[in-house]
Amino acid sequence: MTFSDDHAENLPIQWKNAAPTFAKVGTYDVKGTVAVNGKDVPVKGKVTVVKKVNLVKNPDFENVNLDGWTITGDTGAVSAVSKAGDALGQGAMHYWSDKAFAFTASQTFTGLKDGKYTVAVSTQGGGGQESYELFAESNGKRLTAPITDTKWNEWHTVTIKDVEVKGGKATIGVTMKAAPGLWGSLDNFEFYRQE
């Protein structure tokens, strides 16, 4: 909650239904109150229930390793890191080199159910890459979305929706080409079938 003097505090919310269970996919309104200076101030929020299973192996690097990921190109520029601001949780995929570098970090999936999928990643960093994008490939088609970072610990999420998977196979990941000294992190990858 932001107060009139512009300072902010995290305050507990008492939800009217503290443990709502929504069995169907959809968006639901929830209401509650926050105690401020002895008064209950009403608050409301939206809960969106989606049916998704994240297919990415090691999507959030919580064990601070790159298991499940294929790194090609300048592999020495990519590592797992565990440092506040460089990771959203315990770990993240980090990049930096004192020389110009280029790499691709990817995962390939087989046995997928045909249909439309979504891929996403959260990133932070100093920006300025020659090229930096999230990609998804399936059935000979490649979809991309540019990634633009602005500064340390300012996280952005980039998403590609409606990735058409045919033949049960897809590859997702990021690719980058950068000048010496550029740095940043990737975290919380997602790849799931849209329902």
Side-chain angles (χ1 to χ4, degrees):
M1 176 170 279
T2 303
F3 289 80
S4 59
D5 64 359
D6 286 334
H7 87 279
E9 292 181 26
N10 289 325
L11 299 173
I13 298 172
Q14 292 292 71
W15 296 107
K16 289 190 177 176
N17 185 354
T21 302
F22 304 112
K24 294 183 180 179
V25 171
T27 300
Y28 302 87
D29 292 320
V30 291
K31 295 180 181 180
T33 57
V34 173
V36 180
N37 298 329
K39 294 182 180 177
D40 287 338
V41 176
V43 294
K44 62 182 177 178
K46 289 196 178 290
V47 174
T48 301
V49 177
V50 296
K51 191 175 180 182
K52 69 178 181 178
V53 175
N54 190 2
L55 300 171
V56 178
K57 297 175 190 103
N58 193 16
D60 52 14
F61 312 96
E62 291 303 273
N63 292 324
V64 195
N65 63 49
L66 300 177
D67 291 354
W69 290 92
T70 300
I71 312 294
T72 58
D74 295 311
T75 58
V78 183
S79 62
V81 67
S82 178
K83 190 166 88 175
D86 286 338
L88 287 169
Q90 295 298 311
M93 180 186 294
H94 192 264
Y95 58 86
W96 176 86
S97 178
D98 60 356
K99 299 178 177 79
F101 63 99
F103 74 91
T104 298
S106 65
Q107 287 190 21
T108 297
F109 306 88
T110 58
L112 297 174
K113 191 173 183 181
D114 287 354
K116 290 185 178 180
Y117 287 71
T118 294
V119 62
V121 65
S122 295
T123 69
Q124 67 86 32
Q129 290 88 346
E130 185 177 326
S131 63
Y132 187 18
E133 62 187 17
L134 175 68
F135 71 87
E137 297 174 339
S138 182
N139 199 35
K141 293 183 181 175
R142 180 179 173 106
L143 298 176
T144 63
I147 298 173
T148 304
D149 290 329
T150 50
K151 65 181 181 178
W152 179 76
N153 198 24
E154 186 169 277
W155 290 87
H156 307 275
T157 301
V158 176
T159 304
I160 302 172
K161 293 184 177 181
D162 299 326
V163 177
E164 189 72 41
V165 171
K166 290 184 179 177
K169 185 176 179 183
T171 299
I172 62 102
V174 296
T175 186
M176 176 189 300
K177 187 173 182 183
L182 292 186
W183 51 268
S185 305
L186 303 109
D187 209 345
N188 292 359
F189 279 87
E190 290 186 310
F191 182 56
Y192 59 89
R193 188 171 190 271
Q194 297 168 197
E195 293 295 328

